Every structure is written in structure tokens, then in C-alpha cells.
Amino acid sequence: MCILMYGDLPRNYHWVGLCTKLLLKTIFLGKFWVYFLKQKSEVFVKFKLWKAEVENQTDRKIKYLRSDNRTKYKDSQLLKFCEEYEIQRHFTVHKIPQQNDIAERMNMSLNERALCLRLNAWIPKSFWEELVSMPCYLINRSPRASLGDKVAEKSLDDVSFIFLLLYVDDMSIPAKNMFDVIGLKALLSQEFDMKDLEVVKKILGMEIHRDRGSRKLWLSQQGYVEKVLDRFGMSNAKPVSTSFANHFKLSSEQCLKTYMEIEEMTKVPYPNVVGCLMYAMGTMGHGIVFGSQQHDPLIVGYVDSNYAGDLDDRRSTLGMFLLLVEDHICWKSTVRSIVALLTTEVEYMVVAEAAKEAL
């Protein structure tokens, strides 16, 4: 089976001030790749890297390359390379981007999502590559109607693969074929002193449990969480559904004021406690489950707002909670940077925030 590839560079890349990006997409896989370039002349180099990666993973050849008519895609090296590997070129008509609509629309979508993330979280421009890569990563791992509500990453399921995951002296080898794992372990044993622990049960503090009958796998950090609780003397603490009662009101009047108060608090590892225990409250026995069951891929969201609840400047607090496949994927509570005049305005704000987060 051949692969048809769409390529595009955004026309409005200069405002970023750092780099432009090359967007590549295959029809066969339905997956997008983004490569970042300092100069447009790097298109040929990135295309060769992408071609090698895709053909190695899929064991299929690229037969067509569709792009616009601009000079970056008519580079003599790229033309000669495509001719050598019998890759047919499809050029769109000048100033008619609709003929390459898939790449054009996705470029626009990635730019808009990255800009939205940057402005909403006040992230510097120096993180532009990460801001663009994240929505691309999520798109490739989200169900799409064009793929029959399947995920693009799963299009590679019929391709054999093997990964070597190494951290200091801990190693795990995931693969589809057990014979590949045995072969790799034999190769490594010839060069290094290794101890084979058979099926992995724990790695980097994560406990791994399997139920092969129902084709499920659990990842849990219960042991690590228990050590964290013991470190801060909270092993016998009782979990609560709400960490802070709603009748409590915080204000700047409760902040530290005297030098002695500030000096006393420096001895209390409060930030460390909050950072370590925030995700552990009431979830010590919880874990991530991977299985083959089919679930509704829709995102379900819940929102709420507290109109003018800030005692210092009367700003409103927005809260949201998003679920995917019956489990939470995002929760957020934040004070708005502007003062709302009406409760309805606050409600619109929190719904808009949740919609942007879901997208």
C-alpha cells in the first residue's frame, strides 16, 4: 500500500520570531508530524528524516508528495530525491490553498491552539515549539471521525515494533512479539552483565499489574505514595472529598506580616508537602488502567463559578472538571484576571475556559 503525504509551511510564521514549522501528514496513517525549522531551506533535510521514519515503522513506501507551488518545495535536491525514489509530485495551483486543504487547515489549527495556550497561560515565545507540539500530540491520540472514531497512533498496531526503555540501570523492553524481546535480551547479554527479572512488575516506583484474561493492565504508585505520606507524618491521615470547606474565605489579611512569622514559616516545608501530596489525597489505591474495552470517546465537562468571591479585589473564581472515558483528565480552579460585572458574564467565562481546555 502506498502513502500519500501532504506538506505545508505556514505563511504567517514570521510573527513567532523563532522558527517556522513543516507539517507532514499521511493519508494511510491519518497522523500528523511537525518539524521545526530555523530556515525554509531545511525542508529537504527534514523530509528525508521523516521519510526514513515512516517507511521504517510501516514497511511501506511513500509514492506521492502533495505541496504548494512555492520555491521551498521545488528545491533541486528535493526534486532529484523524489525522482530517485519514484515519489510523484502533486503541486497545487498558485494562490489556491484549498487544493492542499488538509495541511493548510491543520497548520492554521495548530497555530491558533498554540497561540491560545500561550496567551491563556502567559507562556514566553521561547516555548513556541512545545506549544505547537502539544496540540499535535493530542490530535494524533484523539478519536477522529475521518478515521472512523479511531486514533491515528493505533494505525501502527499492525506493524512490529520494539522499544528499549532505559533509566540508569533499570530497563524495560516492550514489544508486540516476544521473540523480538528474547532476541534483544540475548544481544544485550553478550555486551553487558544483566539480570533478567522476567515479566516486569515494578519499575521507577510504578507497580504494574496484569489481567491477561480481560486484557487489562494497571499502573499504580501506591507504594511510592505511602512513602511520601510517611515522610511528612501523614500515614494515618483521613482522606476527605473536599480539601477545603466552602465557608472558609481567604484574603491577604491572613498573610504573614512580621519578620518573626516569616522566619518561623521558613522552617515549615509547606510547599514540599503541598506538591507531594496534592495528587495523593484520597487516591492512594487508584491507578491507570489500559484495556481493550470500547468506551464513548466524548469529553464530559462540569463547570462552576464563584462571582466576586475574592475578598481583596472582588474578582471571580472559575472551576472546571473534564472527564474522558469515565475518568478525569483535567481539573482547574483559577481567579480571573478581570472583574466581571454580572453573574451571567462569569458563567460564560467558565464555560469558554472549559471549552478551550477540552479542545
Side-chain angles (χ1 to χ4, degrees), residues 42 53 65 92 96 116 135 157 160 209 217 219 240 298 333 339:
E42 299 176 26
E53 177 186 347
L65 168 59
T92 62
I96 303 182
C116 179
D157 283 351
S160 179
H209 309 278
L217 183 144
L219 296 181
V240 293
L298 293 178
S333 179
V339 177

Side-chain angles (χ1 to χ4, degrees), residues 124-140:
K125 285 185 180 180
S126 57
F127 290 95
W128 180 252
E129 293 185 14
E130 288 76 11
L131 290 169
V132 173
S133 298
M134 187 173 73
C136 184
Y137 176 90
L138 295 175
I139 289 170
N140 286 331

Side-chain angles (χ1 to χ4, degrees), residues 16 29 35 47 71 87 94 109 117 121 123 131 156 174-175 191 218 220 248 259 274 307 310 312 351 354 359:
V16 178
L29 298 176
Y35 291 91
F47 176 74
T71 55
I87 300 175
H94 183 56
S109 177
L117 286 170
I123 300 176
L131 290 169
L156 294 171
E191 300 292 334
W218 285 267
S220 171
F248 284 104
Y259 175 79
V274 173
Y307 175 65
D310 194 313
D312 297 315
V351 171
L359 292 174

Side-chain angles (χ1 to χ4, degrees), residues 41-140:
S41 57
E42 299 176 26
V43 168
F44 173 57
V45 176
K46 299 299 183 182
F47 176 74
K48 288 199 301 183
L49 293 174
W50 175 83
K51 177 181 179 296
E53 177 186 347
V54 172
E55 293 185 348
N56 182 55
Q57 291 183 5
T58 64
D59 199 26
R60 291 173 170 85
K61 298 296 183 182
I62 297 173
K63 296 295 184 181
Y64 307 95
L65 168 59
R66 178 176 297 173
S67 63
D68 58 47
N69 242 324
R70 287 182 283 175
T71 55
K72 62 184 178 294
Y73 287 117
K74 290 188 173 182
D75 177 77
S76 59
Q77 289 181 303
L78 182 57
L79 291 173
K80 185 178 180 180
F81 182 82
C82 291
E83 183 179 351
E84 180 183 350
Y85 288 93
E86 299 181 349
I87 300 175
Q88 295 186 25
R89 300 300 306 274
H90 292 177
F91 292 106
T92 62
V93 178
H94 183 56
K95 292 186 177 181
I96 303 182
Q98 294 85 347
Q99 294 183 346
N100 195 22
D101 58 338
I102 293 178
E104 295 281 355
R105 286 201 305 267
M106 183 52 63
N107 247 330
M108 184 182 298
S109 177
L110 291 178
N111 274 333
E112 291 175 348
R113 296 185 188 196
L115 180 60
C116 179
L117 286 170
R118 191 177 78 83
L119 296 179
N120 186 61
W122 299 95
I123 300 176
K125 285 185 180 180
S126 57
F127 290 95
W128 180 252
E129 293 185 14
E130 288 76 11
L131 290 169
V132 173
S133 298
M134 187 173 73
C136 184
Y137 176 90
L138 295 175
I139 289 170
N140 286 331

Side-chain angles (χ1 to χ4, degrees), residues 114-178:
L115 180 60
C116 179
L117 286 170
R118 191 177 78 83
L119 296 179
N120 186 61
W122 299 95
I123 300 176
K125 285 185 180 180
S126 57
F127 290 95
W128 180 252
E129 293 185 14
E130 288 76 11
L131 290 169
V132 173
S133 298
M134 187 173 73
C136 184
Y137 176 90
L138 295 175
I139 289 170
N140 286 331
R141 287 158 179 79
S142 302
R144 298 210 299 271
S146 59
L147 299 177
D149 290 329
K150 294 182 179 179
V151 177
E153 283 290 334
K154 291 184 179 179
S155 300
L156 294 171
D157 283 351
D158 60 341
V159 181
S160 179
F161 65 84
I162 185 167
F163 297 101
L164 179 62
L165 308 178
L166 180 64
Y167 182 80
V168 190
D169 58 351
D170 291 329
M171 182 172 64
S172 177
I173 309 176
K176 290 190 67 175
N177 193 326
M178 192 61 191

